[in-house]
Amino acid sequence: MTPTTQIACPQCDAANRVPTARLGDGPRCGVCKAPLFTGKPVALSELRFRRHLRICELPVLVDFWASWCGPCRAMAPAFEAAAATLEPRMRLLKVSTEEAPGLAAELAISSIPTLALFAAGREIARQAGALPAGRIIAWAESVFPTK
Ligand code: ZN
């Protein structure tokens, strides 16, 4: 059997199962035809985040941020650059703690920006404070080697 990986569509949230070896070949959603990877972090509400986390079999790297937070805004381009490198080995998501206060409280996000890496729906590591792109990538790969 061909190994497959399930991921959620960044546009319509449908579960898609893709041959793992073909994740980098520009797979598209079977429902809405949108690209399953855009090379950019996917900004999600709390509800959508929970769905993606449940569906996604890739490691999920999340940037918890807020619009009023200067260091968060400063790190946004670095996180976007990290997405271009880490996809399709990982899924990168952004969650605004202003829009998802319940989730932030549940996960005890005490400072922002906070990066958290989830595998199989569970948080396996977190890192508080802004990082440049190279260090975001190095940190994620050290926590969950994908190569
Ligand atoms: Zn879709």
Side-chain angles (χ1 to χ4, degrees):
M1 277 233 338
T2 310
T4 61
T5 300
Q6 180 171 267
I7 48 176
C9 172
Q11 184 156 298
C12 76
D13 304 330
N16 282 260
R17 193 162 277 289
V18 178
T20 304
R22 304 211 54 195
L23 284 171
D25 297 345
R28 286 179 174 266
C29 175
V31 176
C32 76
K33 310 301 178 198
L36 292 174
F37 295 100
T38 59
K40 292 191 173 161
V42 185
L44 296 179
S45 67
E46 176 170 346
L47 191 69
R48 294 185 66 203
F49 170 76
R50 290 183 191 280
R51 178 171 170 79
H52 276 245
L53 200 61
R54 193 169 66 241
I55 290 170
C56 189
E57 294 176 348
L58 292 172
V60 176
L61 178 60
V62 188
D63 173 15
F64 290 97
W65 70 289
S67 64
W68 49 261
C69 159
C72 297
R73 292 198 305 274
M75 190 175 79
F79 194 67
E80 196 162 313
T85 297
L86 290 170
E87 286 190 354
R89 296 178 285 130
M90 294 188 187
R91 169 65 89 197
L92 274 70
L93 304 177
K94 283 176 76 85
V95 173
S96 162
T97 55
E98 293 163 287
E99 291 166 24
L103 181 69
E106 182 184 312
L107 295 173
I109 305 292
S110 54
S111 69
I112 49 171
T114 285
L115 294 174
L117 188 66
F118 295 77
R122 286 224 178 92
E123 183 179 343
I124 57 172
R126 81 169 54 175
Q127 133 81 41
L131 294 177
R135 289 191 53 202
I136 294 171
I137 294 164
W139 176 76
E141 289 180 336
S142 71
V143 172
F144 199 99
T146 53
K147 287 200 271 208

